[in-house]
PDB file of all heavy atoms in Angstrom:
ATOM      1  N   GLY A 508     -29.878  47.522 -31.956  1.00 97.00           N
ATOM      2  CA  GLY A 508     -28.569  47.435 -32.235  1.00 97.00           C
ATOM      3  C   GLY A 508     -27.636  46.850 -31.156  1.00 97.00           C
ATOM      4  O   GLY A 508     -26.434  46.756 -31.351  1.00 97.00           O
ATOM      5  N   LEU A 509     -28.188  46.566 -29.950  1.00 98.00           N
ATOM      6  CA  LEU A 509     -27.461  45.995 -28.881  1.00 98.00           C
ATOM      7  C   LEU A 509     -27.260  44.462 -29.237  1.00 98.00           C
ATOM      8  O   LEU A 509     -28.288  43.707 -29.438  1.00 98.00           O
ATOM      9  CB  LEU A 509     -28.188  46.152 -27.555  1.00 98.00           C
ATOM     10  CG  LEU A 509     -27.382  45.728 -26.260  1.00 98.00           C
ATOM     11  CD1 LEU A 509     -26.160  46.669 -26.104  1.00 98.00           C
ATOM     12  CD2 LEU A 509     -28.309  45.804 -25.081  1.00 98.00           C
ATOM     13  N   VAL A 510     -26.100  44.022 -29.145  1.00 98.00           N
ATOM     14  CA  VAL A 510     -25.756  42.569 -29.414  1.00 98.00           C
ATOM     15  C   VAL A 510     -25.533  41.853 -28.041  1.00 98.00           C
ATOM     16  O   VAL A 510     -24.756  42.246 -27.308  1.00 98.00           O
ATOM     17  CB  VAL A 510     -24.505  42.522 -30.323  1.00 98.00           C
ATOM     18  CG1 VAL A 510     -24.191  40.988 -30.513  1.00 98.00           C
ATOM     19  CG2 VAL A 510     -24.824  43.063 -31.735  1.00 98.00           C
ATOM     20  N   PHE A 511     -26.271  40.778 -27.910  1.00 98.00           N
ATOM     21  CA  PHE A 511     -25.990  39.858 -26.800  1.00 98.00           C
ATOM     22  C   PHE A 511     -25.080  38.769 -27.246  1.00 98.00           C
ATOM     23  O   PHE A 511     -25.446  37.760 -27.789  1.00 98.00           O
ATOM     24  CB  PHE A 511     -27.289  39.248 -26.278  1.00 98.00           C
ATOM     25  CG  PHE A 511     -28.210  40.238 -25.641  1.00 98.00           C
ATOM     26  CD1 PHE A 511     -29.080  41.060 -26.399  1.00 98.00           C
ATOM     27  CD2 PHE A 511     -28.154  40.483 -24.276  1.00 98.00           C
ATOM     28  CE1 PHE A 511     -30.018  41.991 -25.773  1.00 98.00           C
ATOM     29  CE2 PHE A 511     -28.957  41.469 -23.645  1.00 98.00           C
ATOM     30  CZ  PHE A 511     -29.878  42.247 -24.443  1.00 98.00           C
ATOM     31  N   SER A 512     -23.799  39.043 -27.054  1.00 97.00           N
ATOM     32  CA  SER A 512     -22.713  38.186 -27.684  1.00 97.00           C
ATOM     33  C   SER A 512     -22.364  37.049 -26.742  1.00 97.00           C
ATOM     34  O   SER A 512     -21.541  36.176 -27.175  1.00 97.00           O
ATOM     35  CB  SER A 512     -21.573  39.060 -27.994  1.00 97.00           C
ATOM     36  OG  SER A 512     -21.073  39.762 -26.885  1.00 97.00           O
ATOM     37  N   GLY A 513     -22.736  37.018 -25.518  1.00 97.00           N
ATOM     38  CA  GLY A 513     -22.543  35.927 -24.602  1.00 97.00           C
ATOM     39  C   GLY A 513     -23.805  35.602 -23.834  1.00 97.00           C
ATOM     40  O   GLY A 513     -24.445  36.492 -23.299  1.00 97.00           O
ATOM     41  N   THR A 514     -24.168  34.294 -23.758  1.00 97.00           N
ATOM     42  CA  THR A 514     -25.340  33.939 -23.061  1.00 97.00           C
ATOM     43  C   THR A 514     -25.054  32.589 -22.298  1.00 97.00           C
ATOM     44  O   THR A 514     -24.132  31.944 -22.581  1.00 97.00           O
ATOM     45  CB  THR A 514     -26.634  33.648 -23.884  1.00 97.00           C
ATOM     46  OG1 THR A 514     -26.365  32.625 -24.835  1.00 97.00           O
ATOM     47  CG2 THR A 514     -26.953  34.899 -24.733  1.00 97.00           C
ATOM     48  N   SER A 515     -25.886  32.247 -21.345  1.00 95.00           N
ATOM     49  CA  SER A 515     -25.800  30.949 -20.743  1.00 95.00           C
ATOM     50  C   SER A 515     -26.156  30.006 -21.843  1.00 95.00           C
ATOM     51  O   SER A 515     -26.663  30.215 -22.847  1.00 95.00           O
ATOM     52  CB  SER A 515     -26.863  30.816 -19.624  1.00 95.00           C
ATOM     53  OG  SER A 515     -28.140  31.002 -20.135  1.00 95.00           O
ATOM     54  N   PRO A 516     -25.761  28.602 -21.590  1.00 95.00           N
ATOM     55  CA  PRO A 516     -25.899  27.592 -22.589  1.00 95.00           C
ATOM     56  C   PRO A 516     -27.276  27.435 -23.109  1.00 95.00           C
ATOM     57  O   PRO A 516     -27.496  27.143 -24.305  1.00 95.00           O
ATOM     58  CB  PRO A 516     -25.414  26.327 -21.916  1.00 95.00           C
ATOM     59  CG  PRO A 516     -24.331  26.820 -20.960  1.00 95.00           C
ATOM     60  CD  PRO A 516     -24.876  28.098 -20.477  1.00 95.00           C
ATOM     61  N   SER A 517     -28.219  27.699 -22.341  1.00 93.00           N
ATOM     62  CA  SER A 517     -29.652  27.642 -22.693  1.00 93.00           C
ATOM     63  C   SER A 517     -30.126  28.858 -23.421  1.00 93.00           C
ATOM     64  O   SER A 517     -31.123  28.821 -24.021  1.00 93.00           O
ATOM     65  CB  SER A 517     -30.496  27.446 -21.438  1.00 93.00           C
ATOM     66  OG  SER A 517     -30.489  28.628 -20.644  1.00 93.00           O
ATOM     67  N   GLY A 518     -29.316  29.912 -23.424  1.00 94.00           N
ATOM     68  CA  GLY A 518     -29.687  31.223 -24.030  1.00 94.00           C
ATOM     69  C   GLY A 518     -30.554  31.954 -23.169  1.00 94.00           C
ATOM     70  O   GLY A 518     -31.012  33.082 -23.523  1.00 94.00           O
ATOM     71  N   HIS A 519     -30.893  31.490 -21.987  1.00 92.00           N
ATOM     72  CA  HIS A 519     -31.810  32.245 -21.140  1.00 92.00           C
ATOM     73  C   HIS A 519     -31.350  33.393 -20.414  1.00 92.00           C
ATOM     74  O   HIS A 519     -31.997  34.393 -20.086  1.00 92.00           O
ATOM     75  CB  HIS A 519     -32.449  31.147 -20.100  1.00 92.00           C
ATOM     76  CG  HIS A 519     -33.495  31.720 -19.229  1.00 92.00           C
ATOM     77  ND1 HIS A 519     -34.634  32.141 -19.695  1.00 92.00           N
ATOM     78  CD2 HIS A 519     -33.706  31.821 -17.859  1.00 92.00           C
ATOM     79  CE1 HIS A 519     -35.547  32.461 -18.780  1.00 92.00           C
ATOM     80  NE2 HIS A 519     -34.901  32.340 -17.654  1.00 92.00           N
ATOM     81  N   LEU A 520     -30.008  33.400 -20.026  1.00 94.00           N
ATOM     82  CA  LEU A 520     -29.426  34.500 -19.373  1.00 94.00           C
ATOM     83  C   LEU A 520     -28.360  35.288 -20.135  1.00 94.00           C
ATOM     84  O   LEU A 520     -27.553  34.694 -20.853  1.00 94.00           O
ATOM     85  CB  LEU A 520     -28.687  33.921 -18.069  1.00 94.00           C
ATOM     86  CG  LEU A 520     -29.539  33.196 -17.097  1.00 94.00           C
ATOM     87  CD1 LEU A 520     -28.680  32.454 -16.000  1.00 94.00           C
ATOM     88  CD2 LEU A 520     -30.596  34.072 -16.480  1.00 94.00           C
ATOM     89  N   ALA A 521     -28.499  36.546 -20.092  1.00 96.00           N
ATOM     90  CA  ALA A 521     -27.501  37.399 -20.805  1.00 96.00           C
ATOM     91  C   ALA A 521     -26.182  37.461 -20.061  1.00 96.00           C
ATOM     92  O   ALA A 521     -26.154  37.753 -18.847  1.00 96.00           O
ATOM     93  CB  ALA A 521     -28.104  38.758 -21.136  1.00 96.00           C
TER      94      ALA A 521
END
Side-chain angles (χ1 to χ4, degrees):
L509 188 66
V510 174
F511 290 87
S512 54
T514 64
S515 59
S517 67
H519 187 58
L520 301 172

